[in-house]
Every structure is written in C-alpha cells, then in structure tokens.
C-alpha cells in the first residue's frame, strides 16, 4: 500500500475519532430530558401523565396484595419430622403457627400458652405440596390423539 493511502486512511480515522473525544477535567455533557414534540415552535406540550396508580415514582407498589389470612388460633404441631425449605431435617420438631404465618420452627421450640397442639409423631411436615403424578389441566377438551401428550410414561413418580 502506498504511503499516501495509509496517510489518508489515518487522517480519516483521526477525524472520525475526534468527534468522540472528551476533554479531560471538563464536566460530562449534559443531556436534556426528552419531551414530547412541540405543537409549534413557540408552544411545548407537557408530557402525558401515567394513569392513576401506575407511576412507580408516586406509588412503588401499584398492585398491593389483597391477601387476608383466615381467622385462626395459635397452633403448634409437635413431634413431627420437619423438612424445612432450607433443606434441613428436624426430627421430632415443633412448628408454631400464628396469624396465618409460621412463627417458629425447631427442635427446642416452646409451645405458647393457649395454643392448640397437634400431635405430629410419626408424621412429616414439608414446605409445600408434593404432587407425584397428576393430569389436572393437562389434557385438552375435546380430546384428540394429537393432544394426548399429558401422561408421563418414562417415570411413574415425577415429584422432582
């Protein structure tokens, strides 16, 4: 390649890159907030507000839970084998429930005065529902052969 072509290429690259340069010690360029297009050159319209309740800055939880626990009494399950969500197994443990929530789990948990006590000896308490095999909601209606794919034929227990 000739020296002229190399010099011309370098000049073009330098001119292109100079548009990307930032001065050292200067402040960062300020970017004006975007606004909707103006109706004409002298009048600007305000941004359209979000529908009430959907502005995350005004309302960080626009869809709050409506869950209300059923009225209940403090209850303790005593002596059960407990599997926790963290993976621990507590043999002969106690679970205390109050106000619709689990308030204590462990091997040495004290049962509160006045609590309903459930004897869990020989039983297991697990964190959730285990459905080892179900067709609920799998098959289409009306049933046709092409949609018959809901049966787990390779493993009789698919709780995992």
């Amino acid at each position: 390649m000739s020296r002229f072509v190399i010099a011309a290429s370098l000049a073009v690259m330098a001119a292109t890159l100079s548009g990307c340069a930032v001065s050292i010690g200067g402040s960062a360029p300020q970017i004006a907030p975007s606004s909707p297009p103006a109706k004409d050159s002298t009048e600007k319209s305000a941004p359209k507000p979000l529908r009430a309740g959907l502005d995350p800055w005004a309302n960080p939880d626009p869809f709050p839970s409506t869950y209300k626990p059923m009225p209940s009494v403090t209850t303790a399950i005593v002596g059960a084998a407990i599997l926790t969500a963290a993976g621990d197994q507590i043999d002969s443990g106690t679970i205390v429930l109050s106000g619709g929530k689990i308030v204590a789990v462990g091997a040495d948990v004290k049962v509160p005065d006045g609590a309903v006590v459930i004897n869990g000896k020989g039983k297991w308490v697990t964190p959730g529902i285990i459905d080892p095999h179900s067709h609920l909601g799998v098959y289409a209606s009306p049933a046709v052969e092409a949609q018959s794919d809901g049966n787990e034929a390779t493993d009789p227990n698919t709780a995992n």
Side-chain angles (χ1 to χ4, degrees), residues 13-90:
M13 286 177 18
T16 303
L17 292 175
S18 68
C20 298
V22 176
S23 63
I24 307 244
S27 62
Q30 298 297 315
I31 300 172
S34 62
S35 60
K39 293 180 183 174
D40 61 46
S41 61
T42 60
E43 182 184 342
K44 289 188 177 180
S45 62
K48 183 177 177 184
L50 291 174
R51 211 170 38 162
L54 295 181
D55 182 357
W57 295 105
N59 184 0
D61 189 12
F63 306 107
S65 173
T66 59
Y67 172 75
K68 302 267 187 280
M70 297 295 291
S72 63
V73 296
T74 300
T75 304
I77 303 171
V78 179
I82 302 166
L83 297 178
T84 68
D88 298 329
Q89 178 176 330
I90 302 169

Side-chain angles (χ1 to χ4, degrees), residues 64-139:
S65 173
T66 59
Y67 172 75
K68 302 267 187 280
M70 297 295 291
S72 63
V73 296
T74 300
T75 304
I77 303 171
V78 179
I82 302 166
L83 297 178
T84 68
D88 298 329
Q89 178 176 330
I90 302 169
D91 295 316
S92 191
T94 300
I95 300 175
V96 178
L97 304 113
S98 182
K101 296 181 180 181
I102 297 172
V103 295
V105 177
D108 300 319
V109 171
K110 182 182 178 303
V111 176
D113 292 334
V116 173
V117 177
I118 297 173
N119 182 1
K121 186 174 173 106
K123 308 288 184 197
W124 289 82
V125 179
T126 64
I129 299 171
I130 296 176
D131 182 9
H133 190 89
S134 175
H135 295 270
L136 185 63
V138 176
Y139 288 110

